[in-house]
Amino acid sequence: MEKPTQNNMNKNISIWHKALFCAAFSLTTWFMFSLLLDTATNVHTAIRLKNHGVETIATITEYKPQKERIRKFWLKSSQADIRHIHVIAYNEES
């Protein structure tokens, strides 16, 4: 049975350092990608509201927090998320 040499031990440590670096790099890249995707979605929503939204003055008459199942593409299962819904009443003026 061969006794491990210093050179072999350095190679093993080097492999673990590379694996740790790859894992940290992958997690950081995935986090940044999901953050970028979320930001792009919010910008798209804001632009769509600006182009197709209608400005009005209203009064909030009710507040209904509701649980809703949200499925994001990077999650394997859906998660419950609370959406805050404001029931709005307004008078249309011609």
Side-chain angles (χ1 to χ4, degrees), residues 55-93:
E55 186 176 335
T56 187
I57 297 173
T59 303
I60 296 175
T61 58
E62 261 184 88
Y63 170 75
K64 296 181 179 181
Q66 296 182 351
K67 280 195 174 183
E68 183 179 35
R69 289 260 172 221
I70 303 296
R71 176 142 171 89
K72 296 182 179 175
F73 79 94
W74 61 85
L75 296 174
K76 289 184 179 179
S77 62
S78 61
Q79 65 186 31
D81 193 17
I82 295 178
R83 298 290 182 179
H84 301 280
I85 299 173
H86 299 93
V87 178
I88 299 174
Y90 63 95
N91 295 328
E92 289 187 35
E93 295 181 17

PDB file of all heavy atoms in Angstrom, residues 55-93:
ATOM      1  N   GLU A  55     -55.227  56.676 -15.788  1.00  0.00           N
ATOM      2  CA  GLU A  55     -55.110  57.409 -14.536  1.00  0.00           C
ATOM      3  C   GLU A  55     -56.507  57.744 -14.012  1.00  0.00           C
ATOM      4  O   GLU A  55     -57.389  58.126 -14.765  1.00  0.00           O
ATOM      5  CB  GLU A  55     -54.325  58.696 -14.766  1.00  0.00           C
ATOM      6  CG  GLU A  55     -54.045  59.451 -13.495  1.00  0.00           C
ATOM      7  CD  GLU A  55     -53.186  60.677 -13.757  1.00  0.00           C
ATOM      8  OE1 GLU A  55     -52.453  60.705 -14.753  1.00  0.00           O
ATOM      9  OE2 GLU A  55     -53.283  61.609 -12.938  1.00  0.00           O
ATOM     10  N   THR A  56     -56.676  57.562 -12.708  1.00  0.00           N
ATOM     11  CA  THR A  56     -57.970  57.856 -12.089  1.00  0.00           C
ATOM     12  C   THR A  56     -57.757  58.221 -10.629  1.00  0.00           C
ATOM     13  O   THR A  56     -56.680  58.019 -10.088  1.00  0.00           O
ATOM     14  CB  THR A  56     -58.924  56.651 -12.207  1.00  0.00           C
ATOM     15  OG1 THR A  56     -60.201  57.021 -11.745  1.00  0.00           O
ATOM     16  CG2 THR A  56     -58.423  55.470 -11.415  1.00  0.00           C
ATOM     17  N   ILE A  57     -58.773  58.759 -10.020  1.00  0.00           N
ATOM     18  CA  ILE A  57     -58.762  59.030  -8.583  1.00  0.00           C
ATOM     19  C   ILE A  57     -59.792  58.098  -7.969  1.00  0.00           C
ATOM     20  O   ILE A  57     -60.919  58.016  -8.445  1.00  0.00           O
ATOM     21  CB  ILE A  57     -59.112  60.504  -8.297  1.00  0.00           C
ATOM     22  CG1 ILE A  57     -58.044  61.408  -8.920  1.00  0.00           C
ATOM     23  CG2 ILE A  57     -59.240  60.733  -6.804  1.00  0.00           C
ATOM     24  CD1 ILE A  57     -58.377  62.880  -8.848  1.00  0.00           C
ATOM     25  N   ALA A  58     -59.421  57.398  -6.896  1.00  0.00           N
ATOM     26  CA  ALA A  58     -60.316  56.403  -6.310  1.00  0.00           C
ATOM     27  C   ALA A  58     -60.189  56.403  -4.804  1.00  0.00           C
ATOM     28  O   ALA A  58     -59.273  56.988  -4.239  1.00  0.00           O
ATOM     29  CB  ALA A  58     -59.983  55.029  -6.870  1.00  0.00           C
ATOM     30  N   THR A  59     -61.127  55.706  -4.181  1.00  0.00           N
ATOM     31  CA  THR A  59     -61.123  55.527  -2.737  1.00  0.00           C
ATOM     32  C   THR A  59     -61.042  54.040  -2.441  1.00  0.00           C
ATOM     33  O   THR A  59     -61.796  53.248  -3.026  1.00  0.00           O
ATOM     34  CB  THR A  59     -62.428  56.084  -2.121  1.00  0.00           C
ATOM     35  OG1 THR A  59     -62.539  57.450  -2.483  1.00  0.00           O
ATOM     36  CG2 THR A  59     -62.416  55.943  -0.620  1.00  0.00           C
ATOM     37  N   ILE A  60     -60.154  53.657  -1.560  1.00  0.00           N
ATOM     38  CA  ILE A  60     -60.066  52.257  -1.167  1.00  0.00           C
ATOM     39  C   ILE A  60     -61.195  51.981  -0.183  1.00  0.00           C
ATOM     40  O   ILE A  60     -61.309  52.616   0.857  1.00  0.00           O
ATOM     41  CB  ILE A  60     -58.701  51.950  -0.532  1.00  0.00           C
ATOM     42  CG1 ILE A  60     -57.601  52.154  -1.574  1.00  0.00           C
ATOM     43  CG2 ILE A  60     -58.671  50.540   0.035  1.00  0.00           C
ATOM     44  CD1 ILE A  60     -56.207  51.996  -1.041  1.00  0.00           C
ATOM     45  N   THR A  61     -62.041  51.011  -0.540  1.00  0.00           N
ATOM     46  CA  THR A  61     -63.189  50.700   0.305  1.00  0.00           C
ATOM     47  C   THR A  61     -62.994  49.439   1.129  1.00  0.00           C
ATOM     48  O   THR A  61     -63.648  49.281   2.155  1.00  0.00           O
ATOM     49  CB  THR A  61     -64.453  50.527  -0.554  1.00  0.00           C
ATOM     50  OG1 THR A  61     -64.219  49.495  -1.504  1.00  0.00           O
ATOM     51  CG2 THR A  61     -64.802  51.818  -1.256  1.00  0.00           C
ATOM     52  N   GLU A  62     -62.127  48.555   0.692  1.00  0.00           N
ATOM     53  CA  GLU A  62     -61.878  47.305   1.407  1.00  0.00           C
ATOM     54  C   GLU A  62     -60.445  46.880   1.193  1.00  0.00           C
ATOM     55  O   GLU A  62     -59.810  47.248   0.201  1.00  0.00           O
ATOM     56  CB  GLU A  62     -62.772  46.191   0.839  1.00  0.00           C
ATOM     57  CG  GLU A  62     -64.017  45.897   1.608  1.00  0.00           C
ATOM     58  CD  GLU A  62     -64.741  44.721   0.992  1.00  0.00           C
ATOM     59  OE1 GLU A  62     -64.425  43.584   1.375  1.00  0.00           O
ATOM     60  OE2 GLU A  62     -65.580  44.961   0.115  1.00  0.00           O
ATOM     61  N   TYR A  63     -59.958  46.065   2.127  1.00  0.00           N
ATOM     62  CA  TYR A  63     -58.605  45.514   2.018  1.00  0.00           C
ATOM     63  C   TYR A  63     -58.719  44.026   2.275  1.00  0.00           C
ATOM     64  O   TYR A  63     -59.234  43.612   3.313  1.00  0.00           O
ATOM     65  CB  TYR A  63     -57.705  46.189   3.050  1.00  0.00           C
ATOM     66  CG  TYR A  63     -56.354  45.544   3.184  1.00  0.00           C
ATOM     67  CD1 TYR A  63     -55.380  45.724   2.218  1.00  0.00           C
ATOM     68  CD2 TYR A  63     -56.058  44.744   4.272  1.00  0.00           C
ATOM     69  CE1 TYR A  63     -54.146  45.137   2.345  1.00  0.00           C
ATOM     70  CE2 TYR A  63     -54.833  44.149   4.409  1.00  0.00           C
ATOM     71  CZ  TYR A  63     -53.877  44.343   3.431  1.00  0.00           C
ATOM     72  OH  TYR A  63     -52.661  43.751   3.557  1.00  0.00           O
ATOM     73  N   LYS A  64     -58.296  43.207   1.333  1.00  0.00           N
ATOM     74  CA  LYS A  64     -58.432  41.756   1.463  1.00  0.00           C
ATOM     75  C   LYS A  64     -57.097  41.065   1.179  1.00  0.00           C
ATOM     76  O   LYS A  64     -56.758  40.839   0.016  1.00  0.00           O
ATOM     77  CB  LYS A  64     -59.449  41.232   0.457  1.00  0.00           C
ATOM     78  CG  LYS A  64     -60.851  41.709   0.646  1.00  0.00           C
ATOM     79  CD  LYS A  64     -61.730  41.085  -0.418  1.00  0.00           C
ATOM     80  CE  LYS A  64     -63.160  41.503  -0.275  1.00  0.00           C
ATOM     81  NZ  LYS A  64     -64.011  40.895  -1.290  1.00  0.00           N
ATOM     82  N   PRO A  65     -56.326  40.732   2.218  1.00  0.00           N
ATOM     83  CA  PRO A  65     -55.140  39.921   1.940  1.00  0.00           C
ATOM     84  C   PRO A  65     -55.580  38.500   1.579  1.00  0.00           C
ATOM     85  O   PRO A  65     -56.457  37.938   2.229  1.00  0.00           O
ATOM     86  CB  PRO A  65     -54.365  39.960   3.254  1.00  0.00           C
ATOM     87  CG  PRO A  65     -55.320  40.365   4.283  1.00  0.00           C
ATOM     88  CD  PRO A  65     -56.430  41.096   3.612  1.00  0.00           C
ATOM     89  N   GLN A  66     -55.049  37.958   0.511  1.00  0.00           N
ATOM     90  CA  GLN A  66     -55.427  36.626   0.059  1.00  0.00           C
ATOM     91  C   GLN A  66     -54.187  35.797  -0.184  1.00  0.00           C
ATOM     92  O   GLN A  66     -53.189  36.289  -0.710  1.00  0.00           O
ATOM     93  CB  GLN A  66     -56.224  36.716  -1.231  1.00  0.00           C
ATOM     94  CG  GLN A  66     -57.534  37.436  -1.079  1.00  0.00           C
ATOM     95  CD  GLN A  66     -58.318  37.449  -2.372  1.00  0.00           C
ATOM     96  OE1 GLN A  66     -57.817  37.074  -3.419  1.00  0.00           O
ATOM     97  NE2 GLN A  66     -59.564  37.875  -2.286  1.00  0.00           N
ATOM     98  N   LYS A  67     -54.267  34.511   0.169  1.00  0.00           N
ATOM     99  CA  LYS A  67     -53.163  33.593  -0.128  1.00  0.00           C
ATOM    100  C   LYS A  67     -53.364  33.059  -1.530  1.00  0.00           C
ATOM    101  O   LYS A  67     -54.475  32.733  -1.938  1.00  0.00           O
ATOM    102  CB  LYS A  67     -53.124  32.443   0.874  1.00  0.00           C
ATOM    103  CG  LYS A  67     -52.482  32.817   2.170  1.00  0.00           C
ATOM    104  CD  LYS A  67     -52.138  31.599   2.960  1.00  0.00           C
ATOM    105  CE  LYS A  67     -51.368  32.039   4.192  1.00  0.00           C
ATOM    106  NZ  LYS A  67     -50.912  30.949   4.999  1.00  0.00           N
ATOM    107  N   GLU A  68     -52.269  32.961  -2.243  1.00  0.00           N
ATOM    108  CA  GLU A  68     -52.322  32.508  -3.617  1.00  0.00           C
ATOM    109  C   GLU A  68     -51.108  31.619  -3.856  1.00  0.00           C
ATOM    110  O   GLU A  68     -50.026  31.886  -3.352  1.00  0.00           O
ATOM    111  CB  GLU A  68     -52.294  33.736  -4.533  1.00  0.00           C
ATOM    112  CG  GLU A  68     -52.406  33.445  -5.984  1.00  0.00           C
ATOM    113  CD  GLU A  68     -52.404  34.727  -6.810  1.00  0.00           C
ATOM    114  OE1 GLU A  68     -51.705  35.684  -6.441  1.00  0.00           O
ATOM    115  OE2 GLU A  68     -53.093  34.748  -7.813  1.00  0.00           O
ATOM    116  N   ARG A  69     -51.268  30.566  -4.616  1.00  0.00           N
ATOM    117  CA  ARG A  69     -50.150  29.687  -4.938  1.00  0.00           C
ATOM    118  C   ARG A  69     -49.382  30.278  -6.113  1.00  0.00           C
ATOM    119  O   ARG A  69     -49.953  30.557  -7.161  1.00  0.00           O
ATOM    120  CB  ARG A  69     -50.635  28.290  -5.305  1.00  0.00           C
ATOM    121  CG  ARG A  69     -51.150  27.553  -4.125  1.00  0.00           C
ATOM    122  CD  ARG A  69     -50.088  26.610  -3.634  1.00  0.00           C
ATOM    123  NE  ARG A  69     -50.494  26.033  -2.381  1.00  0.00           N
ATOM    124  CZ  ARG A  69     -49.682  25.846  -1.372  1.00  0.00           C
ATOM    125  NH1 ARG A  69     -48.434  26.181  -1.450  1.00  0.00           N
ATOM    126  NH2 ARG A  69     -50.102  25.313  -0.262  1.00  0.00           N
ATOM    127  N   ILE A  70     -48.097  30.470  -5.908  1.00  0.00           N
ATOM    128  CA  ILE A  70     -47.236  31.051  -6.935  1.00  0.00           C
ATOM    129  C   ILE A  70     -46.235  29.981  -7.359  1.00  0.00           C
ATOM    130  O   ILE A  70     -45.628  29.330  -6.522  1.00  0.00           O
ATOM    131  CB  ILE A  70     -46.476  32.277  -6.386  1.00  0.00           C
ATOM    132  CG1 ILE A  70     -47.450  33.318  -5.854  1.00  0.00           C
ATOM    133  CG2 ILE A  70     -45.560  32.870  -7.442  1.00  0.00           C
ATOM    134  CD1 ILE A  70     -48.358  33.904  -6.894  1.00  0.00           C
ATOM    135  N   ARG A  71     -46.054  29.803  -8.650  1.00  0.00           N
ATOM    136  CA  ARG A  71     -45.050  28.859  -9.142  1.00  0.00           C
ATOM    137  C   ARG A  71     -44.025  29.637  -9.939  1.00  0.00           C
ATOM    138  O   ARG A  71     -44.352  30.273 -10.928  1.00  0.00           O
ATOM    139  CB  ARG A  71     -45.686  27.794 -10.018  1.00  0.00           C
ATOM    140  CG  ARG A  71     -44.686  26.855 -10.626  1.00  0.00           C
ATOM    141  CD  ARG A  71     -45.216  25.434 -10.655  1.00  0.00           C
ATOM    142  NE  ARG A  71     -44.359  24.571 -11.427  1.00  0.00           N
ATOM    143  CZ  ARG A  71     -43.326  23.921 -10.907  1.00  0.00           C
ATOM    144  NH1 ARG A  71     -43.038  24.058  -9.649  1.00  0.00           N
ATOM    145  NH2 ARG A  71     -42.594  23.125 -11.654  1.00  0.00           N
ATOM    146  N   LYS A  72     -42.780  29.585  -9.468  1.00  0.00           N
ATOM    147  CA  LYS A  72     -41.687  30.234 -10.177  1.00  0.00           C
ATOM    148  C   LYS A  72     -40.879  29.156 -10.875  1.00  0.00           C
ATOM    149  O   LYS A  72     -40.740  28.051 -10.367  1.00  0.00           O
ATOM    150  CB  LYS A  72     -40.832  31.031  -9.204  1.00  0.00           C
ATOM    151  CG  LYS A  72     -41.606  32.162  -8.567  1.00  0.00           C
ATOM    152  CD  LYS A  72     -40.776  32.981  -7.647  1.00  0.00           C
ATOM    153  CE  LYS A  72     -41.626  34.109  -7.083  1.00  0.00           C
ATOM    154  NZ  LYS A  72     -40.934  34.883  -6.097  1.00  0.00           N
ATOM    155  N   PHE A  73     -40.350  29.464 -12.029  1.00  0.00           N
ATOM    156  CA  PHE A  73     -39.730  28.429 -12.842  1.00  0.00           C
ATOM    157  C   PHE A  73     -38.518  27.788 -12.186  1.00  0.00           C
ATOM    158  O   PHE A  73     -38.178  26.661 -12.478  1.00  0.00           O
ATOM    159  CB  PHE A  73     -39.378  28.972 -14.238  1.00  0.00           C
ATOM    160  CG  PHE A  73     -38.135  29.799 -14.274  1.00  0.00           C
ATOM    161  CD1 PHE A  73     -36.923  29.234 -14.597  1.00  0.00           C
ATOM    162  CD2 PHE A  73     -38.179  31.155 -13.997  1.00  0.00           C
ATOM    163  CE1 PHE A  73     -35.781  30.004 -14.634  1.00  0.00           C
ATOM    164  CE2 PHE A  73     -37.053  31.926 -14.029  1.00  0.00           C
ATOM    165  CZ  PHE A  73     -35.844  31.339 -14.349  1.00  0.00           C
ATOM    166  N   TRP A  74     -37.857  28.478 -11.258  1.00  0.00           N
ATOM    167  CA  TRP A  74     -36.674  27.904 -10.643  1.00  0.00           C
ATOM    168  C   TRP A  74     -37.006  27.074  -9.399  1.00  0.00           C
ATOM    169  O   TRP A  74     -36.137  26.434  -8.842  1.00  0.00           O
ATOM    170  CB  TRP A  74     -35.643  28.969 -10.311  1.00  0.00           C
ATOM    171  CG  TRP A  74     -36.102  30.011  -9.348  1.00  0.00           C
ATOM    172  CD1 TRP A  74     -36.077  29.941  -7.995  1.00  0.00           C
ATOM    173  CD2 TRP A  74     -36.649  31.270  -9.669  1.00  0.00           C
ATOM    174  NE1 TRP A  74     -36.581  31.073  -7.444  1.00  0.00           N
ATOM    175  CE2 TRP A  74     -36.947  31.924  -8.455  1.00  0.00           C
ATOM    176  CE3 TRP A  74     -36.938  31.929 -10.847  1.00  0.00           C
ATOM    177  CZ2 TRP A  74     -37.506  33.183  -8.417  1.00  0.00           C
ATOM    178  CZ3 TRP A  74     -37.491  33.184 -10.781  1.00  0.00           C
ATOM    179  CH2 TRP A  74     -37.760  33.800  -9.581  1.00  0.00           C
ATOM    180  N   LEU A  75     -38.260  27.087  -8.974  1.00  0.00           N
ATOM    181  CA  LEU A  75     -38.670  26.283  -7.828  1.00  0.00           C
ATOM    182  C   LEU A  75     -39.396  25.037  -8.322  1.00  0.00           C
ATOM    183  O   LEU A  75     -40.176  25.098  -9.257  1.00  0.00           O
ATOM    184  CB  LEU A  75     -39.610  27.076  -6.916  1.00  0.00           C
ATOM    185  CG  LEU A  75     -39.014  28.303  -6.241  1.00  0.00           C
ATOM    186  CD1 LEU A  75     -40.106  29.055  -5.489  1.00  0.00           C
ATOM    187  CD2 LEU A  75     -37.918  27.900  -5.280  1.00  0.00           C
ATOM    188  N   LYS A  76     -39.128  23.894  -7.690  1.00  0.00           N
ATOM    189  CA  LYS A  76     -39.787  22.660  -8.108  1.00  0.00           C
ATOM    190  C   LYS A  76     -41.236  22.608  -7.628  1.00  0.00           C
ATOM    191  O   LYS A  76     -42.069  21.989  -8.238  1.00  0.00           O
ATOM    192  CB  LYS A  76     -39.017  21.447  -7.577  1.00  0.00           C
ATOM    193  CG  LYS A  76     -37.695  21.261  -8.275  1.00  0.00           C
ATOM    194  CD  LYS A  76     -37.011  20.018  -7.807  1.00  0.00           C
ATOM    195  CE  LYS A  76     -35.686  19.860  -8.563  1.00  0.00           C
ATOM    196  NZ  LYS A  76     -34.955  18.696  -8.150  1.00  0.00           N
ATOM    197  N   SER A  77     -41.532  23.220  -6.506  1.00  0.00           N
ATOM    198  CA  SER A  77     -42.897  23.204  -5.991  1.00  0.00           C
ATOM    199  C   SER A  77     -43.408  24.633  -5.871  1.00  0.00           C
ATOM    200  O   SER A  77     -42.639  25.579  -5.821  1.00  0.00           O
ATOM    201  CB  SER A  77     -42.931  22.519  -4.624  1.00  0.00           C
ATOM    202  OG  SER A  77     -42.143  23.252  -3.706  1.00  0.00           O
ATOM    203  N   SER A  78     -44.707  24.753  -5.818  1.00  0.00           N
ATOM    204  CA  SER A  78     -45.287  26.088  -5.674  1.00  0.00           C
ATOM    205  C   SER A  78     -45.245  26.491  -4.208  1.00  0.00           C
ATOM    206  O   SER A  78     -45.150  25.664  -3.320  1.00  0.00           O
ATOM    207  CB  SER A  78     -46.715  26.101  -6.207  1.00  0.00           C
ATOM    208  OG  SER A  78     -47.506  25.205  -5.471  1.00  0.00           O
ATOM    209  N   GLN A  79     -45.308  27.760  -3.968  1.00  0.00           N
ATOM    210  CA  GLN A  79     -45.299  28.267  -2.596  1.00  0.00           C
ATOM    211  C   GLN A  79     -46.477  29.202  -2.412  1.00  0.00           C
ATOM    212  O   GLN A  79     -46.934  29.826  -3.351  1.00  0.00           O
ATOM    213  CB  GLN A  79     -43.987  28.979  -2.287  1.00  0.00           C
ATOM    214  CG  GLN A  79     -43.763  30.243  -3.113  1.00  0.00           C
ATOM    215  CD  GLN A  79     -42.396  30.836  -2.881  1.00  0.00           C
ATOM    216  OE1 GLN A  79     -41.456  30.128  -2.611  1.00  0.00           O
ATOM    217  NE2 GLN A  79     -42.301  32.141  -2.995  1.00  0.00           N
ATOM    218  N   ALA A  80     -46.974  29.263  -1.187  1.00  0.00           N
ATOM    219  CA  ALA A  80     -48.094  30.159  -0.887  1.00  0.00           C
ATOM    220  C   ALA A  80     -47.545  31.566  -0.704  1.00  0.00           C
ATOM    221  O   ALA A  80     -46.557  31.778  -0.024  1.00  0.00           O
ATOM    222  CB  ALA A  80     -48.813  29.706   0.367  1.00  0.00           C
ATOM    223  N   ASP A  81     -48.176  32.507  -1.345  1.00  0.00           N
ATOM    224  CA  ASP A  81     -47.756  33.899  -1.243  1.00  0.00           C
ATOM    225  C   ASP A  81     -48.999  34.730  -0.945  1.00  0.00           C
ATOM    226  O   ASP A  81     -50.066  34.463  -1.476  1.00  0.00           O
ATOM    227  CB  ASP A  81     -47.122  34.346  -2.562  1.00  0.00           C
ATOM    228  CG  ASP A  81     -46.397  35.662  -2.445  1.00  0.00           C
ATOM    229  OD1 ASP A  81     -46.107  36.087  -1.319  1.00  0.00           O
ATOM    230  OD2 ASP A  81     -46.127  36.274  -3.494  1.00  0.00           O
ATOM    231  N   ILE A  82     -48.869  35.709  -0.089  1.00  0.00           N
ATOM    232  CA  ILE A  82     -50.012  36.563   0.244  1.00  0.00           C
ATOM    233  C   ILE A  82     -50.017  37.755  -0.698  1.00  0.00           C
ATOM    234  O   ILE A  82     -49.034  38.473  -0.817  1.00  0.00           O
ATOM    235  CB  ILE A  82     -49.948  37.034   1.710  1.00  0.00           C
ATOM    236  CG1 ILE A  82     -50.075  35.831   2.638  1.00  0.00           C
ATOM    237  CG2 ILE A  82     -51.045  38.048   1.994  1.00  0.00           C
ATOM    238  CD1 ILE A  82     -49.976  36.168   4.091  1.00  0.00           C
ATOM    239  N   ARG A  83     -51.122  37.919  -1.388  1.00  0.00           N
ATOM    240  CA  ARG A  83     -51.308  39.067  -2.276  1.00  0.00           C
ATOM    241  C   ARG A  83     -52.227  40.045  -1.557  1.00  0.00           C
ATOM    242  O   ARG A  83     -53.261  39.652  -1.028  1.00  0.00           O
ATOM    243  CB  ARG A  83     -51.942  38.645  -3.599  1.00  0.00           C
ATOM    244  CG  ARG A  83     -51.114  37.691  -4.397  1.00  0.00           C
ATOM    245  CD  ARG A  83     -49.926  38.371  -4.928  1.00  0.00           C
ATOM    246  NE  ARG A  83     -49.157  37.424  -5.733  1.00  0.00           N
ATOM    247  CZ  ARG A  83     -48.061  37.729  -6.346  1.00  0.00           C
ATOM    248  NH1 ARG A  83     -47.591  38.945  -6.259  1.00  0.00           N
ATOM    249  NH2 ARG A  83     -47.407  36.841  -7.038  1.00  0.00           N
ATOM    250  N   HIS A  84     -51.874  41.296  -1.545  1.00  0.00           N
ATOM    251  CA  HIS A  84     -52.676  42.314  -0.889  1.00  0.00           C
ATOM    252  C   HIS A  84     -53.560  42.969  -1.940  1.00  0.00           C
ATOM    253  O   HIS A  84     -53.073  43.612  -2.862  1.00  0.00           O
ATOM    254  CB  HIS A  84     -51.771  43.338  -0.201  1.00  0.00           C
ATOM    255  CG  HIS A  84     -50.891  42.708   0.825  1.00  0.00           C
ATOM    256  ND1 HIS A  84     -51.334  42.390   2.080  1.00  0.00           N
ATOM    257  CD2 HIS A  84     -49.609  42.302   0.773  1.00  0.00           C
ATOM    258  CE1 HIS A  84     -50.357  41.831   2.766  1.00  0.00           C
ATOM    259  NE2 HIS A  84     -49.300  41.764   1.990  1.00  0.00           N
ATOM    260  N   ILE A  85     -54.849  42.770  -1.795  1.00  0.00           N
ATOM    261  CA  ILE A  85     -55.808  43.264  -2.783  1.00  0.00           C
ATOM    262  C   ILE A  85     -56.604  44.406  -2.158  1.00  0.00           C
ATOM    263  O   ILE A  85     -57.136  44.276  -1.059  1.00  0.00           O
ATOM    264  CB  ILE A  85     -56.747  42.132  -3.233  1.00  0.00           C
ATOM    265  CG1 ILE A  85     -55.917  41.025  -3.890  1.00  0.00           C
ATOM    266  CG2 ILE A  85     -57.822  42.663  -4.169  1.00  0.00           C
ATOM    267  CD1 ILE A  85     -56.686  39.789  -4.219  1.00  0.00           C
ATOM    268  N   HIS A  86     -56.660  45.500  -2.866  1.00  0.00           N
ATOM    269  CA  HIS A  86     -57.436  46.652  -2.411  1.00  0.00           C
ATOM    270  C   HIS A  86     -58.678  46.746  -3.300  1.00  0.00           C
ATOM    271  O   HIS A  86     -58.563  46.822  -4.515  1.00  0.00           O
ATOM    272  CB  HIS A  86     -56.618  47.943  -2.521  1.00  0.00           C
ATOM    273  CG  HIS A  86     -55.385  47.921  -1.696  1.00  0.00           C
ATOM    274  ND1 HIS A  86     -54.174  47.518  -2.190  1.00  0.00           N
ATOM    275  CD2 HIS A  86     -55.175  48.225  -0.401  1.00  0.00           C
ATOM    276  CE1 HIS A  86     -53.271  47.594  -1.243  1.00  0.00           C
ATOM    277  NE2 HIS A  86     -53.847  48.025  -0.139  1.00  0.00           N
ATOM    278  N   VAL A  87     -59.844  46.722  -2.688  1.00  0.00           N
ATOM    279  CA  VAL A  87     -61.084  46.900  -3.437  1.00  0.00           C
ATOM    280  C   VAL A  87     -61.294  48.395  -3.567  1.00  0.00           C
ATOM    281  O   VAL A  87     -61.344  49.124  -2.576  1.00  0.00           O
ATOM    282  CB  VAL A  87     -62.275  46.239  -2.703  1.00  0.00           C
ATOM    283  CG1 VAL A  87     -63.552  46.474  -3.460  1.00  0.00           C
ATOM    284  CG2 VAL A  87     -62.016  44.747  -2.537  1.00  0.00           C
ATOM    285  N   ILE A  88     -61.389  48.857  -4.794  1.00  0.00           N
ATOM    286  CA  ILE A  88     -61.425  50.293  -5.059  1.00  0.00           C
ATOM    287  C   ILE A  88     -62.782  50.666  -5.656  1.00  0.00           C
ATOM    288  O   ILE A  88     -63.294  49.989  -6.534  1.00  0.00           O
ATOM    289  CB  ILE A  88     -60.293  50.684  -6.030  1.00  0.00           C
ATOM    290  CG1 ILE A  88     -58.942  50.349  -5.386  1.00  0.00           C
ATOM    291  CG2 ILE A  88     -60.372  52.149  -6.402  1.00  0.00           C
ATOM    292  CD1 ILE A  88     -57.766  50.550  -6.285  1.00  0.00           C
ATOM    293  N   ALA A  89     -63.331  51.751  -5.155  1.00  0.00           N
ATOM    294  CA  ALA A  89     -64.578  52.287  -5.699  1.00  0.00           C
ATOM    295  C   ALA A  89     -64.294  53.672  -6.270  1.00  0.00           C
ATOM    296  O   ALA A  89     -63.571  54.454  -5.676  1.00  0.00           O
ATOM    297  CB  ALA A  89     -65.636  52.363  -4.613  1.00  0.00           C
ATOM    298  N   TYR A  90     -64.844  53.956  -7.439  1.00  0.00           N
ATOM    299  CA  TYR A  90     -64.670  55.279  -8.025  1.00  0.00           C
ATOM    300  C   TYR A  90     -65.867  55.625  -8.905  1.00  0.00           C
ATOM    301  O   TYR A  90     -66.589  54.760  -9.374  1.00  0.00           O
ATOM    302  CB  TYR A  90     -63.363  55.376  -8.815  1.00  0.00           C
ATOM    303  CG  TYR A  90     -63.289  54.453 -10.002  1.00  0.00           C
ATOM    304  CD1 TYR A  90     -63.641  54.885 -11.266  1.00  0.00           C
ATOM    305  CD2 TYR A  90     -62.846  53.144  -9.847  1.00  0.00           C
ATOM    306  CE1 TYR A  90     -63.584  54.036 -12.357  1.00  0.00           C
ATOM    307  CE2 TYR A  90     -62.762  52.290 -10.938  1.00  0.00           C
ATOM    308  CZ  TYR A  90     -63.132  52.743 -12.179  1.00  0.00           C
ATOM    309  OH  TYR A  90     -63.074  51.908 -13.250  1.00  0.00           O
ATOM    310  N   ASN A  91     -66.051  56.900  -9.090  1.00  0.00           N
ATOM    311  CA  ASN A  91     -67.129  57.385  -9.949  1.00  0.00           C
ATOM    312  C   ASN A  91     -66.540  57.759 -11.297  1.00  0.00           C
ATOM    313  O   ASN A  91     -65.549  58.463 -11.386  1.00  0.00           O
ATOM    314  CB  ASN A  91     -67.803  58.623  -9.338  1.00  0.00           C
ATOM    315  CG  ASN A  91     -68.497  58.295  -8.049  1.00  0.00           C
ATOM    316  OD1 ASN A  91     -68.996  57.207  -7.877  1.00  0.00           O
ATOM    317  ND2 ASN A  91     -68.504  59.249  -7.129  1.00  0.00           N
ATOM    318  N   GLU A  92     -67.180  57.267 -12.340  1.00  0.00           N
ATOM    319  CA  GLU A  92     -66.721  57.621 -13.673  1.00  0.00           C
ATOM    320  C   GLU A  92     -67.280  58.998 -14.044  1.00  0.00           C
ATOM    321  O   GLU A  92     -68.439  59.286 -13.822  1.00  0.00           O
ATOM    322  CB  GLU A  92     -67.188  56.600 -14.690  1.00  0.00           C
ATOM    323  CG  GLU A  92     -66.497  55.284 -14.576  1.00  0.00           C
ATOM    324  CD  GLU A  92     -66.865  54.348 -15.720  1.00  0.00           C
ATOM    325  OE1 GLU A  92     -67.059  54.825 -16.852  1.00  0.00           O
ATOM    326  OE2 GLU A  92     -66.956  53.154 -15.456  1.00  0.00           O
ATOM    327  N   GLU A  93     -66.401  59.823 -14.574  1.00  0.00           N
ATOM    328  CA  GLU A  93     -66.830  61.134 -15.036  1.00  0.00           C
ATOM    329  C   GLU A  93     -66.729  61.181 -16.541  1.00  0.00           C
ATOM    330  O   GLU A  93     -65.739  60.770 -17.119  1.00  0.00           O
ATOM    331  CB  GLU A  93     -65.972  62.224 -14.407  1.00  0.00           C
ATOM    332  CG  GLU A  93     -66.144  62.308 -12.917  1.00  0.00           C
ATOM    333  CD  GLU A  93     -65.286  63.413 -12.320  1.00  0.00           C
ATOM    334  OE1 GLU A  93     -64.813  64.295 -13.067  1.00  0.00           O
ATOM    335  OE2 GLU A  93     -65.083  63.395 -11.105  1.00  0.00           O
TER     336      GLU A  93
END
